[in-house]
Amino acid sequence: AVSSLAAINNASRWGWRWHYRALTVQRLYDQLVSCWLDANFASKEGGVDGAVASDGVLQAWWHSMMDHIPSLRRATKSSSEWASPGKLTPMSLRHVARVLMVWLSWIHEDVGHAAASYVYNPVYTPMCVPEDGIGVPSASWSFNALAYRGFVFLHRATLLQEPPDFWFDGNTASRQCFTDFQNALKSLGQTDVAFSECEKTGFYSCVNRVETAVSS
């Protein structure tokens, strides 16, 4: 498969690095959500399945998501095995949450912040190539760089920073889930070439810079 570590490390074939990175992180998010479900619901009556089905807050959130996100509503109708069109199930929550989380954090970082190394270089900045090909139009470049900085670089907490206590409400098992997730991310940044070569071969974010959610 082109979206695999073997393909990335094989110089004789094409490897889809961007997709491999997103898919790898999505799998980590899936493990995180599963761990959180077990930490918060496994000990309740009916186990995880029963607790999710009877949780009014979760069910109300699910129906609100269906009302406000047409694409999700269509997806539940065409691919009900991926996400249930009726009551929220643990499987539906895992499938939907992992997609939203990877897009709102990781992929947003790849196409947003990671582009900075290109935008700040006038050679790669849109509208900054002069008609005669000589020099850099300073006014145009300054406007583009400052606008990009102002619209995109509104800093948020990163995934590897110490999380606030209120995220876990005193649940040590839930906190451990996030600690394990952070450790897995750190390991990717240290040992996986697709993650360690950040900002060097394209719009690939550095692991330690990825924020928890969109910033613009």
Side-chain angles (χ1 to χ4, degrees), residues 15-193:
W16 195 359
R17 180 177 297 216
W18 188 84
H19 189 263
Y20 163 71
R21 283 163 46 92
L23 183 61
T24 300
V25 175
Q26 179 172 288
R27 288 168 176 161
L28 291 182
Y29 274 129
D30 185 70
Q31 295 171 16
L32 174 62
V33 175
S34 297
C35 187
W36 272 342
L37 285 171
D38 288 337
N40 290 278
F41 295 116
S43 61
K44 295 187 177 182
E45 184 178 353
V48 174
D49 288 347
V52 169
S54 61
D55 190 300
V57 174
L58 272 179
Q59 295 301 329
W61 170 81
W62 180 242
H63 288 296
S64 177
M65 292 283 283
M66 301 278 271
D67 290 338
H68 291 90
I69 307 179
S71 57
L72 174 60
R73 186 166 60 249
R74 289 193 297 270
T76 60
K77 293 178 180 178
S78 61
S79 303
S80 57
E81 72 281 359
W82 179 74
S84 169
K87 269 197 167 188
L88 175 67
T89 65
M91 185 67 73
S92 297
L93 179 58
R94 282 175 50 200
H95 288 172
V96 173
R98 70 188 185 189
V99 171
L100 292 177
M101 292 165 106
V102 78
W103 273 92
L104 294 177
S105 63
W106 199 267
I107 295 177
H108 172 266
E109 187 80 17
D110 273 352
V111 299
H113 291 193
S117 58
Y118 291 84
V119 173
Y120 288 160
N121 185 329
V123 174
Y124 301 119
T125 304
M127 302 191 300
C128 288
V129 178
E131 186 174 0
D132 59 7
I134 300 175
V136 175
S138 60
S140 174
W141 177 78
S142 297
F143 172 81
N144 279 275
L146 290 174
Y148 191 89
R149 174 78 187 183
F151 295 147
V152 175
F153 290 89
L154 304 177
H155 294 290
R156 299 290 186 270
T158 65
L159 290 174
L160 295 186
Q161 286 180 332
E162 183 69 19
D165 292 334
F166 71 83
W167 279 12
F168 313 106
D169 196 26
N171 188 321
T172 55
S174 185
R175 176 179 281 276
Q176 186 60 49
C177 292
F178 194 74
T179 298
D180 292 342
F181 170 77
Q182 288 183 311
N183 289 337
L185 274 183
K186 290 176 185 176
S187 178
L188 287 174
Q190 295 166 355
T191 63
D192 192 318
V193 66

